[in-house]
Amino acid sequence: MSIRSTDPGSTNDSSTGPKVALTSPEGTSAEIERRLCEEKKIRLKVDVRLCTIAGLLCSLNLLDSGIISSASVTSMLHDLSLDQGNRYSVSILIFTVSSVCFQLPATLAVRMLGPRSFFALATFSFGLITLSTAFIHSWKEMILMRVLLGAAMSGIYPGLALLISSWYRREELQLRFAFLQCGEVVVLATGGILNWGLNHLDGRGGLKGWQWMYLVQGLVACVIGVATYWWIVDFPEHSNQSFYFLTRNEAHIATSRVQRDRGDVVPAPFAWAEVFRHFRDLKIYGFAASFFLQNLVSTSLSYFLPIILQSGLGFSTNEAILLSAPPYYYAVIPVIISSWMGDKYRLRGPVIIFNSLCLIAGYIMLGFTDQVPRLVGTYLATGAYISNWAALSSYQACNITGQWKRAVAAATLSACNGLGGVAGSFIVRQEEAPRYLTAIWVSIG
């Protein structure tokens, strides 16, 4: 028996595209057991090849915030005149605006150009721009670098979300998004420690500490960009184009299991009219609002955590940089546990609610308690908002089908996510140190 991608629902655009006949899981119990064993091995292969590099590439979003937030407690703000007025907040804002503007075409380009070419080019460009930032001399040049950086990174997160959701069944998605988030936060935390070390090179080679941060990490990103071309995998129906990945039979099994789950392995021919038609689905805007609020909260914490540790908790520059790392290492624990439970019991909403309550508790501790509980609050809030990234990403991926519709959804959600970052960049006000009550109350609300 075979099944075809003929889902009549309006949310599935594969019904108008090429048909693909795939084997159903019927057969004797021994055959079914053997097939399930093969699927498990293939899923592990995909985990190793896709989730590892996806975590590294996704970390570029947080790597940028890690560098600029660590650099903000060094001499960078004074050196580039970013300490005048709200120039530092504008430098964060303009990056987000640039990213939002390019997100839809960049995400569609992932499908058109293929993941290998797109992600390799985007990552190398990110590294080159980051490296170049080490040699700027004014806040205007910083603004220009931030615009270019936003454009280079615009398709990375939505493109990775699209690629991951194409490879896994719906009950497997949250844990895979958790793997992506774990790679992201581990790299960010390690980057914080690296920034602490690089800041000790202040004055070496005629460069300030913040310049070493941009130079070294930009160079590392360039190397990752080159490796990405051979490391990352293509979409399931083109997995044979990936470098040393699946055999033809394994590729057939991989596409078959996804087809049985969603029926949208093969995309319809591209048409702009079809793309814009998907914007009429109100679900997309509901998810977009969730991502906006999520990033409003996370931006206020991730970009300004070293400043909060320095101005709000009284730590020195190097201590603030170093102590901004452990909360992200801790976040690996709640994101894995909550995502495993979400997939095992097929729960999304209750997990999101629980993470949100933990986030509220963390912000209450951060805003209204003494020093030690405030520090604990940074851990609780960081773990909660990162756990909700995985939960929200899987929630929308489980409810959106059709290749081009998922591309539209990924770009729209990332754009609104970015707009949340715009709002989040302005709610942490330096004059409100050490309590930052505007950021606390907005985040709790």
Side-chain angles (χ1 to χ4, degrees), residues 125-255:
S125 299
F126 168 86
L128 188 61
I129 296 166
T130 300
L131 187 154
S132 301
T133 305
F135 303 102
I136 62 176
H137 300 93
S138 71
W139 68 274
K140 293 180 180 178
E141 292 173 347
M142 172 61 94
I143 296 298
L144 175 60
M145 291 293 109
R146 303 291 291 169
V147 170
L148 296 176
L149 202 62
M153 289 182 58
S154 59
I156 291 179
Y157 185 83
L160 288 171
L162 175 63
L163 182 59
I164 287 177
S165 63
S166 299
W167 271 102
Y168 294 99
R169 296 170 61 88
R170 282 172 289 186
E171 69 270 15
E172 301 165 349
L173 279 173
Q174 188 168 341
L175 189 58
R176 271 67 200 182
F177 280 116
F179 291 157
L180 185 146
Q181 295 299 326
C182 287
E184 190 175 18
V185 298
V186 166
V187 170
L188 174 63
T190 305
I193 297 173
L194 179 61
N195 288 333
W196 173 78
L198 292 172
N199 195 47
H200 283 80
L201 296 178
D202 188 40
R204 301 285 182 89
L207 299 177
K208 301 290 183 67
W210 66 267
Q211 291 176 298
W212 280 109
M213 295 179 195
Y214 278 103
L215 179 63
V216 172
Q217 293 178 75
L219 183 60
V220 170
C222 286
V223 173
I224 293 174
V226 173
T228 295
Y229 185 78
W230 289 277
W231 190 345
I232 203 164
V233 301
D234 212 310
F235 287 97
E237 72 275 18
H238 299 305
S239 58
N240 60 305
Q241 298 177 13
S242 305
F243 187 72
Y244 283 105
F245 186 36
L246 301 180
T247 65
R248 185 179 297 274
N249 182 58
E250 289 174 333
H252 174 78
I253 295 172
T255 54

Side-chain angles (χ1 to χ4, degrees), residues 298-422:
S298 66
T299 297
S300 68
L301 194 59
S302 64
Y303 274 100
F304 293 92
L305 181 56
I307 294 177
I308 292 171
L309 291 170
Q310 184 185 52
S311 302
L313 295 176
F315 292 104
S316 68
T317 295
N318 283 321
E319 288 173 339
I321 294 173
L322 187 60
L323 290 175
S324 64
Y328 292 103
Y329 285 123
Y330 157 78
V332 172
I333 299 172
V335 73
I336 289 293
I337 293 175
S338 63
S339 297
W340 177 81
M341 293 184 66
D343 279 348
K344 181 176 177 62
Y345 299 105
R346 301 191 180 189
L347 296 173
R348 300 292 182 244
V351 172
I352 293 171
I353 292 171
F354 175 78
N355 289 334
S356 299
L357 292 175
C358 291
L359 184 61
I360 291 171
Y363 268 98
I364 289 174
M365 295 172 69
L366 189 58
F368 305 107
T369 61
D370 295 327
Q371 187 165 1
V372 173
R374 291 189 77 191
L375 189 58
V376 173
T378 65
Y379 282 76
L380 191 57
T382 301
Y385 87 71
I386 289 174
S387 295
N388 254 356
W389 281 121
L392 285 170
S393 295
S394 60
Y395 193 29
Q396 65 86 17
C398 289
N399 288 278
I400 301 290
T401 58
Q403 293 286 342
W404 294 116
K405 185 168 188 177
R406 282 194 283 115
V408 168
T412 304
L413 301 187
S414 290
C416 289
N417 177 70
L419 293 175
V422 172

